[in-house]
Amino acid sequence: MSLITNGRLDRRGFLKTTAAGAIAASLPLCGAYASTPKKGGHLRVGKGHGQTTDTLNPGTWENGYTIAITHAKDGHLTEVLADGSVGPLVAESWEASGDAKTWRFKIRNGITFHSGKTLTPEDVVASINFHRGENAVSAATPIVAPIQDITIDGDTVVFALDGGNADFPFILSDYHLPILPATDDGIDWKSGDGCGSYVLETFKPGVTSTLVRNENHWRKDVAWFDSIEMLSLTDQNARTTALVSGDVDTVDKLDLKTIGLLSRNRDLDISSVAGTQHFTFAMSANQAPYDDVNVRLAMKYAINREELVEKILFGYGSVGNDVPIGQGQQFYNTELEQKTYDPDKAKFYLKEAGLDSLEVSLSAADAAFAGAVDAATLYQNSAKAAGIDLKVVREPNDGYWSDVWMKKPFSAVYWGGRPVQDQMFSTAYTCGAEWNDGFWCNEKFDELLVQARAELDQDKRRQQYWELQEIVSTQGAIIIPMFANYVFATTKKIGKPETLASNWDMDGERWAERWWFA
């Protein structure tokens, strides 16, 4: 059995992990943190996410607005802690067989849903099964696909996997996998019922949501605000204005051009957290001309990565190398040759594809990431020297994720990353995955990923993940020019922990539970 310490994975055992969040630290540009949390107050949040097509169906969640809602209203089996390790939530402890193919999760007693129903192991089984099977329509289907069977043994839920997976407790922290009440035909997601530290009172997609503290929650060390109002403010100017005018207490996705000005405001505190967030341009490998790997390589060498980090991120980030793995993550390939802007090499690959020039359109909107349209314009300029006529199509913010992403053949995208490599690759790079936004299939990659997932020898596992990254970088359909720090602002009346999580924006999107009014 694997060694468990206080419900967490023993990081010295075979389940050891060093996710990027373990080394990332909050870098407050001004202000100090209150030392003691206290209850009270109404928090107003402006999120640069959310659209009118959002629903409460967990299989459809794909933006920071819905992620924040689930971390407030729901409970998951596990959670990623601020230091990057994984800790217990609905599951109070777990243990694995020696080959990590069988996992036993003991379900915490005394948890009730907001409706008053007691949470049972049956709810856990139904909640995970909601994302499994041929008929499941969920972005989480690829990450739960290795589950062969789920059974109940008293207060314990037993997962039988098709192969060893040392990262399985991390997988169950995925925001798509909340534990919801079981019904005769699945789970109740429509009512908004949950077992989290806040109760969802109103949900108006793309507009606003309100929550109140759950006084019956089993944890007493979270949820300090009496109530929360979260606004969807995808327009960057509107979001910044709301913060400066005092209409909201915190916002994410800051306009990095205004950081210098905002930092002079004595009432604001700005935080920058390095993690796994990366901004991408996704090419559809199932459509011409992107079905040719040579065209994809030409597009990768036609972008000036350093310029984007300087002019779009203003230094709040680092250059990417077309792999979705952060430099601080375990098994990051440190020997992978870094791609640089090289118009001549781009021309070479165009000729390999039988082309002298290329004309393509790139869809972008600031809903993808702050500065996405400007980034596309810079890309347009750099690509000209390679004989590539890149036309920038500015798309509407509202509906971008439902009408543009994975609908248009070349589009701007942001990814928050995942705490472990298998989860990131399984979610967006395996053939047929719901969120494989490059529509890319590589048989060798898929086979090697399964092997790496089950490999418990750390040296062999490292070699496998290094090879996986090389395959994605050189053959994949996603251009990843930059990793972006999470940069957000709060009023100084908000208290925050000294260490902020880096697995998602705004303290791992757990600000509702972890922050307070000082």
Side-chain angles (χ1 to χ4, degrees):
M1 295 296 181
S2 65
L3 183 60
I4 306 298
T5 305
N6 295 327
R8 303 183 187 181
L9 296 182
D10 183 348
R11 300 174 75 179
R12 294 171 296 177
F14 79 92
L15 299 173
K16 181 179 178 182
T17 180
T18 54
I23 68 167
S26 169
L27 301 175
L29 303 183
C30 57
Y33 298 115
S35 59
T36 305
K38 60 181 180 181
K39 290 185 177 181
H42 176 70
L43 179 69
R44 301 160 302 166
V45 182
K47 296 288 288 181
H49 314 254
Q51 52 191 359
T52 54
T53 53
D54 287 338
T55 75
L56 292 177
N57 180 339
T60 67
W61 294 337
E62 40 69 27
N63 63 65
Y65 193 95
T66 49
I67 297 173
I69 285 179
T70 187
H71 284 324
K73 83 173 187 69
D74 297 319
H76 297 68
L77 285 174
T78 62
E79 70 169 324
V80 176
L81 302 173
D83 67 357
S85 62
V86 63
L89 274 183
V90 171
E92 65 176 28
S93 63
W94 53 83
E95 59 184 11
S97 58
D99 58 4
K101 291 179 64 174
T102 302
W103 287 85
R104 298 174 58 86
F105 285 78
K106 183 178 181 182
I107 307 306
R108 193 180 303 274
N109 292 321
I111 297 179
T112 58
F113 291 102
H114 303 148
S115 60
K117 177 186 179 302
T118 299
L119 187 150
T120 67
E122 286 75 14
D123 296 312
V124 174
V125 173
S127 295
I128 303 302
N129 279 340
F130 178 78
H131 306 274
R132 298 178 64 217
E134 295 182 359
N135 297 324
V137 180
S138 170
T141 298
I143 65 173
V144 298
I147 300 174
Q148 295 292 289
D149 192 26
I150 310 177
T151 56
I152 296 173
D153 181 11
D155 60 358
T156 298
V157 175
V158 183
F159 296 88
L161 311 183
D162 60 6
N165 189 339
D167 299 321
F168 191 62
F170 275 102
I171 299 300
L172 295 180
S173 73
D174 188 274
Y175 64 85
H176 295 100
L177 305 177
I179 306 306
L180 300 178
T183 62
D184 291 339
D185 58 352
I187 54 174
D188 171 21
W189 58 263
K190 295 181 180 179
S191 70
D193 196 9
C195 63
S197 55
Y198 284 91
V199 179
L200 183 65
E201 285 201 321
T202 62
F203 175 64
K204 299 178 181 178
V207 184
T208 184
S209 298
T210 57
L211 305 102
V212 296
R213 184 171 56 237
N214 175 16
E215 300 296 348
N216 296 319
H217 193 245
W218 59 274
R219 290 184 68 178
K220 304 305 177 185
D221 59 342
V222 295
W224 307 104
F225 302 111
D226 292 335
S227 57
I228 296 170
E229 179 182 12
M230 184 164 60
L231 301 171
S232 176
L233 300 175
T234 55
D235 182 84
Q236 193 169 67
N237 290 331
R239 196 163 60 250
T240 303
T241 300
L243 174 70
V244 174
S245 64
D247 291 332
V248 296
D249 303 302
T250 181
V251 299
D252 62 358
K253 299 182 71 174
L254 291 180
D255 182 351
L256 300 180
K257 296 189 297 290
T258 68
I259 294 293
L261 180 62
L262 289 175
S263 64
R264 298 186 202 130
N265 190 322
R266 295 179 179 273
D267 296 325
L268 298 180
D269 185 69
I270 300 172
S271 296
S272 176
V273 183
T276 58
Q277 177 178 231
H278 50 283
F279 297 159
T280 80
F281 296 110
M283 301 175 283
S284 296
N286 61 344
Q287 298 185 40
Y290 310 112
D291 55 349
D292 190 322
V293 66
N294 290 298
V295 170
R296 300 198 294 268
L297 284 168
M299 298 302 298
K300 291 177 180 180
Y301 282 105
I303 191 168
N304 192 327
R305 301 160 193 265
E306 290 81 4
E307 183 180 42
L308 292 184
V309 172
E310 175 188 352
K311 296 182 178 179
I312 301 300
L313 301 182
F314 293 86
Y316 291 97
S318 59
V319 169
N321 200 20
D322 304 327
V323 293
I325 310 303
Q327 295 182 19
Q329 288 186 267
Q330 188 182 33
F331 306 133
Y332 173 77
N333 189 339
T334 58
E335 296 182 3
L336 184 63
E337 182 179 356
Q338 173 65 55
K339 293 191 194 68
T340 58
Y341 177 49
D342 192 334
D344 290 334
K345 187 171 285 189
K347 288 180 180 179
F348 167 80
Y349 282 112
L350 282 183
K351 289 183 178 179
E352 289 292 299
L355 301 170
D356 293 324
S357 62
L358 181 66
E359 182 177 319
V360 295
S361 295
L362 172 59
S363 294
D366 284 344
F369 57 85
V373 177
D374 292 338
T377 301
L378 290 173
Y379 190 4
Q380 178 187 52
N381 293 334
S382 67
K384 289 179 182 177
I388 299 173
D389 182 7
L390 194 159
K391 299 183 182 300
V392 177
V393 180
R394 183 167 193 149
E395 305 281 3
N397 282 324
D398 187 38
Y400 184 82
W401 298 107
S402 58
D403 301 332
V404 178
W405 179 58
M406 298 189 71
K407 300 292 193 303
K408 301 295 180 69
F410 195 20
S411 64
V413 188
Y414 88 89
W415 278 91
R418 295 296 187 271
V420 290
Q421 295 186 36
D422 178 71
Q423 189 177 11
M424 186 68 235
F425 284 144
S426 297
T427 299
Y429 290 83
T430 54
C431 189
E434 186 77 13
W435 281 3
N436 182 338
D437 52 9
F439 298 92
W440 177 69
C441 287
N442 185 289
E443 185 176 349
K444 181 178 180 181
F445 175 88
D446 288 353
E447 291 176 354
L448 185 58
L449 183 63
V450 172
Q451 295 172 19
R453 179 184 302 141
E455 181 58 64
L456 301 181
D457 182 292
Q458 296 298 289
D459 290 334
K460 291 181 180 178
R461 203 172 189 218
R462 179 179 296 104
Q463 293 173 2
Q464 291 167 331
Y465 279 120
W466 278 32
E467 184 176 354
L468 286 165
Q469 290 169 72
E470 183 176 7
I471 294 172
V472 167
S473 180
T474 58
Q475 302 181 43
I478 309 301
I479 302 168
I480 307 178
M482 52 185 166
F483 275 71
N485 290 5
Y486 290 117
V487 185
F488 55 90
T490 64
T491 62
K492 287 190 176 179
K493 62 183 180 180
I494 291 181
K496 302 185 290 293
E498 291 185 5
T499 299
L500 298 175
S502 66
N503 58 308
W504 289 108
D505 204 353
M506 293 179 70
D507 205 0
E509 291 295 2
R510 289 190 175 274
W511 45 267
E513 288 193 333
R514 296 175 180 173
W515 298 0
W516 64 93
F517 281 122

